[in-house]
Amino acid sequence: MSGDRRPVGIDELLERVRRGYRRIGPWEAYTAARDGDALLVDIRYAALRERDGLVPGALVVERNELEWRLDPQGSHRLPEATGHDLRVVVLCNEGYASSLAAASLHQLGLHRATDLIGGFQAWRAAGLPVRPYAPQAP
């Protein structure tokens, strides 16, 4: 590591990446998704989705697949990955991993990517719709 670059801790890293975009709250995310202005993407792992439920209409993409699935130029993209102007709102459980995920999407050119402040827990606390998890048939 060069002499002018010191390692950063996760708190500083989160602060840095969050300065790169405007985060949104649960009601703004709900309204944007409802009005068709944003794609909600749930990156929580399966055990949390099973325990707490799902956000209706949210696209579930495991964190380790997010960039491959949402890169509009990628060969493994989902049909929803329509272009770099797509507004993506990433949500995790409490709003930490989603910040790093949104920053990664910015690096792919998804300049409107953001994350949900407080994550799924804030969504649920705001009284927004949640549906029980139901396993998919094989």
Side-chain angles (χ1 to χ4, degrees):
M1 187 164 251
S2 66
D4 62 337
R5 294 183 46 101
R6 65 173 177 76
V8 298
I10 188 61
D11 293 331
E12 185 177 340
L13 179 60
L14 279 170
E15 185 179 313
R16 285 182 185 182
V17 300
R18 287 173 174 169
R19 284 193 301 254
Y21 61 92
R22 187 180 71 79
R23 303 176 77 209
I24 64 173
W27 280 101
E28 185 176 352
Y30 171 78
T31 302
R34 181 196 67 203
D35 295 348
D37 185 42
L39 175 66
L40 293 180
V41 179
D42 186 345
I43 64 168
R44 292 175 301 145
Y45 54 89
L48 289 176
R49 295 191 311 269
E50 291 171 15
R51 182 189 77 190
D52 293 337
L54 302 167
V55 171
L59 181 66
V60 174
V61 179
E62 296 283 338
R63 174 62 190 101
N64 63 326
E65 296 181 1
L66 184 69
E67 292 82 359
W68 284 267
R69 300 296 186 215
L70 292 184
D71 178 3
Q73 298 175 346
S75 59
H76 293 24
R77 71 183 173 277
L78 293 169
E80 293 85 354
T82 56
H84 289 97
D85 286 335
L86 178 66
R87 184 177 185 198
V88 176
V89 179
V90 183
L91 69 106
C92 64
N93 193 48
E94 295 181 339
Y96 297 102
S98 59
S99 294
L100 299 175
S104 182
L105 294 177
H106 274 257
Q107 291 179 327
L108 289 176
L110 291 158
H111 61 94
R112 297 180 69 207
T114 188
D115 76 314
L116 177 60
I117 299 167
F120 177 85
Q121 297 306 322
W123 178 279
R124 182 170 61 185
L128 292 167
V130 174
R131 68 175 173 83
Y133 174 84
Q136 298 291 325

